[in-house]
Amino acid sequence: EEGWRGRKSFSIHRCRWTLEQPPRLSIAMLSPLLKFPKRARKNYMSRAFVHSYISFGSNVGDRARNIFNALSELKKLGTVKNSSFIYRTKPMYVENQPNFYNCVVGLDTRLDPSALVASLKLIETKLGRDLNALRYGSRVIDLDILTYGDQKISIDGEGAKFPLQIPHARIAEREFVLRPLCDVAAREGGDILGASFEKLLEKYRAESGSEVQKVLPLRGGRELVLGERTISMGVLNVTPDSFSDGGCNANIDAALQSARSLIDAGCAVLDIGGQSTRPNASYLDPKTELDRVIPALEAIRKEFPEVALSIDTFHSEVACCAVDAGADMVNDISSGEMDPEMLKTVQRLGVPYIMNHTRGTPQTMLSKANYDEIGGVVNGIVVELGNRIDQLLQAGFPRWLLISDPGLGFAKNYDHNLEVIRDLRGIKERLGGLPMLVGPSRKRFIGEAIRRGSGGERSASDRDWGTAAAVRVFRFLFFFSPLFLA
């Protein structure tokens, strides 16, 4: 059937299966099932789930993609319940090698520890790791069991195919393990280690300082470093009816010039949108939106290969095509509420996902700006957006790819917006410390503040200095804290 711009899409009616000899590792792992299939299957299904924490590390090739692929494989071993941020870390023990990406994932599994470690080794080999290579050397993926419930386990000696020490023997000496553990289980660990992960991290930092850096991984091995400075996002609308700059980027040359100006001004991210989301804006169908954004996105990606590009859309089809055309992240004003396929799409794409707080649609959101029943606008954001975030995390979406947005101007009146600004730091903390995107640019509440103060506001373009003032406040509130500004 015809797809966007004449591209063909096909349905599979027949497929061919090839039977290959499985790796030795999988035979070793599944030998109980091969020997006693019915009994082993019954015993396995009768086992209770045990919550374990698995560490991930990679310093070869596209590190973030290696970790994402390993996470996809890990989901076959149980249920992924939580995940940390990704940290860039210096190598230990063997220092003459590239920096690592490290994170931690929580897994509920029925596999016993021996079967679990064998399964992890199988994933490592599947993704290209040589298990006989130099210990502590470079590796495509490294997976370790850190904890297995509250159990203490030691499997060693000649009969052990994979020696195993649980909890992991070197947790306390590795900040690249403790830091992500504290993202998911800061107060745990005391029963098996004598002190919580949080206390162990405090002790490590007091003695050795800190050398890890939180990052937002992008496609192709690129990254945005979080916490060093505020990251600016430039908004580039390719729609004729934007309230801010409608019609200014109607052709490719104009879009490229706007992109160049934004990059020269210090923007590290460009947000490209073809659907106006101002109050009462009319819907575009995905094809019309694609016709607007894809040509501009492809041209900007070709001209500026290093800049991070975001696609501003609530259509899953547009998100998918835009990522295929070079977008690095998806910025969805509805957090998946306006397209039921969006959350599954971003899970499959494995790119950063910006979740914005709003209510209703652009046509109805102004009528829904009442938060009395939920304890005020701040609590409304935390509860409503927090539920969507938790839904994604519980479904196995990695924390390191999530960005929150309190949604200034979306289902909020003038007083609501000011209240949100006053409590941004508290909102961020209550949303699990996710990096936060705040988008005040030329919005109506800034115009209202100017009008009340001086009466000089006439159009959206008169709101630039008001926007600058809001940005300055945000930077003061979030000094050295992960923050994006649009």
Side-chain angles (χ1 to χ4, degrees):
E1 51 188 13
E2 288 288 334
W4 177 80
R5 201 190 271 177
R7 295 176 181 173
K8 298 287 186 179
S9 59
F10 302 93
S11 299
I12 297 175
H13 299 284
R14 290 189 305 174
C15 60
R16 177 179 297 171
W17 294 86
T18 302
L19 183 64
E20 297 179 349
Q21 181 179 355
R24 292 181 181 178
L25 217 57
S26 62
I27 293 177
M29 181 181 70
L30 298 175
S31 58
L33 299 182
L34 296 174
K35 191 173 181 181
F36 305 109
K38 292 184 179 179
R39 186 185 306 172
R41 190 181 305 115
K42 182 178 179 180
N43 290 342
Y44 173 78
M45 295 305 295
S46 65
R47 286 177 57 88
F49 281 101
V50 177
H51 191 65
S52 60
Y53 289 110
I54 312 296
S55 67
F56 288 58
S58 175
N59 74 334
V60 174
D62 189 338
R63 298 166 292 179
R65 179 52 57 177
N66 295 338
I67 289 175
F68 185 80
N69 290 341
L71 177 64
S72 299
E73 294 294 328
L74 188 73
K75 292 176 181 178
K76 301 174 184 177
L77 307 183
T79 303
V80 171
K81 285 294 188 180
N82 207 344
S83 54
S84 71
F85 298 108
I86 276 184
Y87 295 89
R88 187 183 65 207
T89 65
K90 294 181 179 180
M92 292 183 69
Y93 314 121
V94 178
E95 298 182 358
N96 186 25
Q97 58 179 315
N99 288 334
F100 278 83
Y101 274 1
N102 292 100
C103 65
V104 166
V105 170
L107 176 73
D108 284 355
T109 182
R110 284 193 171 105
L111 293 174
D112 63 53
S114 295
L116 180 57
V117 70
S119 302
L120 297 182
K121 296 302 178 185
L122 179 60
I123 293 172
E124 290 177 346
T125 57
K126 181 177 181 179
L127 297 182
R129 182 179 180 185
D130 180 0
L131 297 182
N132 297 316
L134 175 68
R135 190 181 186 190
Y136 303 129
S138 298
R139 43 219 186 262
V140 172
I141 193 69
D142 184 22
L143 303 172
D144 284 318
I145 304 173
L146 299 176
T147 66
Y148 186 84
D150 58 359
Q151 299 182 34
K152 295 183 179 182
I153 301 166
S154 181
I155 302 175
D156 207 344
E158 295 182 0
K161 188 167 184 64
F162 301 110
L164 188 60
Q165 187 75 35
I166 299 177
H168 196 284
R170 293 184 174 86
I171 287 179
E173 68 184 48
R174 295 177 172 179
E175 188 189 12
F176 65 81
V177 171
L178 289 171
R179 183 76 178 272
L181 268 173
C182 286
D183 290 338
V184 296
R187 297 180 182 178
E188 297 180 24
D191 293 341
I192 52 177
L193 293 168
S196 67
F197 300 130
E198 188 176 48
K199 294 297 183 183
L200 290 174
L201 180 60
E202 290 175 2
K203 183 175 183 294
Y204 178 93
R205 286 177 167 174
E207 297 174 352
S208 306
S210 177
E211 293 187 333
V212 306
Q213 182 64 62
K214 186 186 295 183
V215 298
L216 180 72
L218 304 176
R219 304 171 73 205
R222 294 171 298 126
E223 66 183 20
L224 292 174
V225 178
L226 302 176
E228 285 187 346
R229 64 182 180 88
T230 301
I231 296 171
S232 295
M233 172 188 277
V235 178
L236 201 157
N237 295 306
V238 288
T239 173
D241 57 343
S242 167
F243 80 91
S244 177
D245 57 357
C248 292
N249 303 302
N251 59 67
I252 298 299
D253 289 340
L256 285 172
Q257 182 56 47
S258 294
R260 185 174 291 106
S261 298
L262 290 167
I263 293 169
D264 290 344
C267 292
V269 185
L270 299 183
D271 187 53
I272 301 171
Q275 162 77 66
S276 177
T277 54
R278 74 186 191 285
N280 300 313
S282 57
Y283 276 144
L284 289 181
D285 62 274
K287 183 181 183 304
T288 303
E289 188 177 350
L290 283 167
D291 287 339
R292 288 181 178 180
V293 300
I294 297 298
L297 198 157
E298 289 178 335
I300 293 169
R301 170 52 70 221
K302 182 178 179 180
E303 186 74 14
F304 307 103
E306 294 303 316
V307 72
L309 297 182
S310 166
I311 179 65
D312 185 351
T313 185
F314 48 77
H315 287 129
S316 60
E317 181 182 343
V318 175
C320 192
C321 292
V323 169
D324 184 54
D328 295 293
M329 61 185 79
V330 176
N331 182 9
D332 178 7
I333 65 154
S334 76
S335 296
E337 295 279 8
M338 295 173 68
D339 184 341
E341 296 299 313
M342 180 61 91
L343 298 187
K344 290 185 286 187
T345 298
V346 293
Q347 286 228 50
R348 186 180 72 256
L349 293 172
V351 297
Y353 182 49
I354 302 169
M355 303 185 72
N356 176 80
H357 175 268
T358 190
R359 285 179 168 183
T361 67
Q363 291 78 21
T364 64
M365 62 184 179
L366 290 181
S367 66
K368 297 180 180 295
N370 188 325
Y371 296 87
D372 293 341
E373 80 287 354
I374 201 169
V377 64
V378 169
N379 200 56
I381 293 170
V382 171
V383 171
E384 294 166 5
L385 184 56
N387 286 340
R388 297 296 284 173
I389 291 170
D390 288 343
Q391 180 182 346
L392 259 184
L393 289 174
Q394 289 294 313
F397 191 82
R399 181 187 299 268
W400 63 79
L401 294 178
L402 285 178
I403 300 169
S404 67
D405 183 339
L408 292 177
F410 288 90
K412 298 170 187 69
N413 60 31
Y414 175 77
D415 292 327
H416 290 153
N417 287 306
L418 297 186
E419 187 176 348
V420 170
I421 291 171
R422 281 193 293 267
D423 205 12
L424 276 176
R425 184 178 289 275
I427 294 171
K428 181 175 181 293
E429 291 174 355
R430 293 173 65 187
L431 290 176
L434 293 180
M436 178 176 282
L437 171 67
V438 186
S441 295
R442 293 182 170 183
K443 287 189 174 174
R444 182 179 300 179
F445 77 93
I446 289 179
E448 178 65 14
I450 295 172
R451 187 190 66 77
R452 293 187 183 190
S454 64
E457 196 265 346
R458 294 180 298 278
S459 65
S461 61
D462 293 324
R463 301 170 188 171
D464 287 349
W465 284 107
T467 298
V471 167
R472 188 66 187 90
V473 170
F474 301 155
R475 286 182 170 174
F476 175 78
L477 290 173
F478 286 88
F479 186 65
F480 287 143
S481 181
L483 174 69
F484 296 78
L485 292 172

